[in-house]
């Protein structure tokens, strides 16, 4: 589900079935890496909306956690983890972070396997069919991670 | 002189019926059009989207077809992608099912549950449907999968809108 009233109505009626939050982590940079951060943004936006489409009935895709790319790692991490504990307190069972920014890999361990990093593949100039296949493949891989988590708790 | 002279009264009668008839027709025609048009439109104006699927290549094994079309919202014109599971059933008839799970709307997959092969499986709350799209009792979904209207043109499959399953 997305954070829109129509979906939230459904959420309120079926709360016990919707136990997972997805948080995209998206950096912004206007220094030397402008374009590569823009690419990550484009890629992750499409990817997360595809994930949302696939798992509409169990996850909520919230607006991205957005940060200045050059800002300090520790502070970013803390803020993201605060989001996580907040959602867990709200009764959600799973909070997944998804990002293309490899800087997060340094602090991966603090996220206890809930941080999913995917490389942003440049989409410029790719033909539609190919783009779609590629996205599907990514979504499939991430699905496996979700499914494993969900199965484990059963 | 003929005895059949048209009396003044008759003359008026004829002309008035004539004119009245025209007037009535003039009024009725547009009304009729309004009444009938939506019917015509629903039949002829339905949007079918071409898939890449050649009908001859379809088998009994469901394949996943993605097809896109433009949708206009208040703000954006966006490209929407929909998916269908398509196969030929035992009678050779094409079946095109919507992958949207009737429980809470996740996308169902074909044959991905090891314990329940040859069924549609929903990863979210483990909902299941038999190949013809009927929901399996005891799993969360309470309704069968929707199916797409379709049409075949030049050997290519065209999909229309997804309609709820007609209860047998
Ligand atoms: S959304 Fe498919 S089983 Fe719940």
């Amino acid at each position: 589900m997305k954070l829109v009233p129509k979906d939230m109505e459904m959420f309120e009626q079926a709360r016990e079935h919707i136990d997972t939050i997805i948080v995209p982590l998206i950096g912004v940079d206007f220094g030397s890496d402008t374009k590569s951060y823009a690419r990550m943004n484009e890629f992750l936006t499409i990817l997360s909306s595809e994930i949302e489409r696939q798992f509409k009935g169990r996850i909520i895709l919230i607006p991205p956690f957005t940060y200045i790319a050059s800002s300090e790692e520790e502070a970013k991490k803390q803020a993201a983890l605060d989001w996580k504990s907040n959602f867990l307190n709200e009764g959600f069972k799973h909070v997944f972070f998804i990002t293309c920014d490899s800087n997060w890999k340094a602090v991966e361990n603090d996220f206890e396997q809930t941080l999913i990093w995917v490389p942003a593949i440049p989409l410029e100039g790719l033909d539609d069919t190919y783009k779609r296949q590629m996205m599907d493949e990514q979504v499939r891989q991430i699905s496996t991670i979700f499914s494993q988590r969900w199965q484990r708790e059963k | 002189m003929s005895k059949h002279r048209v009396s003044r009264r008759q003359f008026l009668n004829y002309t008035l019926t004539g004119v009245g008839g025209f007037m009535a027709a003039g009024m009725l025609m547009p009304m009729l059009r309004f009444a009938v048009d939506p019917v015509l439109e629903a039949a002829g104006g339905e949007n079918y989207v071409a898939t890449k699927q050649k009908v001859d290549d379809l088998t009994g094994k469901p394949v996943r077809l993605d097809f896109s079309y433009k949708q206009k919202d208040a703000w954006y014109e966006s490209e929407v992608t929909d998916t269908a599971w398509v196969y030929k059933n035992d009678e050779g008839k094409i079946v095109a099912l919507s992958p949207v799970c009737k429980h809470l709307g996740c996308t169902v997959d074909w044959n991905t549950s090891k314990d329940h092969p040859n069924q549609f499986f929903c990863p979210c709350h483990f909902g299941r449907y038999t190949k013809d799209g009927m929901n399996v009792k005891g799993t969360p979904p309470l309704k069968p999968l929707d199916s797409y209207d379709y049409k075949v043109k030049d050997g290519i499959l065209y999909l229309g809108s997804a309609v709820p399953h007609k209860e047998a």
Side-chain angles (χ1 to χ4, degrees), chain B residues 109-135:
Chain B
D109 232 328
W110 170 250
N111 203 13
T112 41
S113 163
K114 280 192 201 70
D115 304 337
H116 306 281
N118 294 316
Q119 289 189 339
F120 290 101
F121 178 68
C122 178
C124 283
H125 315 99
F126 318 115
R128 286 183 282 126
Y129 303 84
T130 51
K131 189 173 172 184
D132 54 0
M134 298 311 267
N135 49 306

Side-chain angles (χ1 to χ4, degrees), chain A residues 10 17 53-55 57-58 132, chain B residues 81 104-107 124-125:
Chain A
M10 202 159 120
H17 292 294
R53 187 162 81 105
Q54 182 98 43
F55 295 109
R58 184 151 182 184
R132 178 143 280 291
Chain B
T81 302
L104 292 173
C106 292
T107 306
C124 283
H125 315 99

Side-chain angles (χ1 to χ4, degrees), chain B residues 125-153:
Chain B
H125 315 99
F126 318 115
R128 286 183 282 126
Y129 303 84
T130 51
K131 189 173 172 184
D132 54 0
M134 298 311 267
N135 49 306
V136 173
K137 297 262 141 46
T139 69
L142 297 175
K143 272 184 269 176
L145 294 172
D146 290 352
S147 59
Y148 285 102
D149 286 334
Y150 70 88
K151 172 163 105 166
V152 178
K153 216 172 92 190

Side-chain angles (χ1 to χ4, degrees), chain A residues 26 37-47 121-124 131 135:
Chain A
I26 294 182
Y37 274 96
R39 179 174 295 142
M40 295 181 214
N41 175 34
E42 183 183 37
F43 186 86
L44 196 61
T45 307
I46 301 176
L47 182 65
I121 299 158
L123 299 174
E124 302 101 277
K131 243 192 256 186
M135 272 303 168

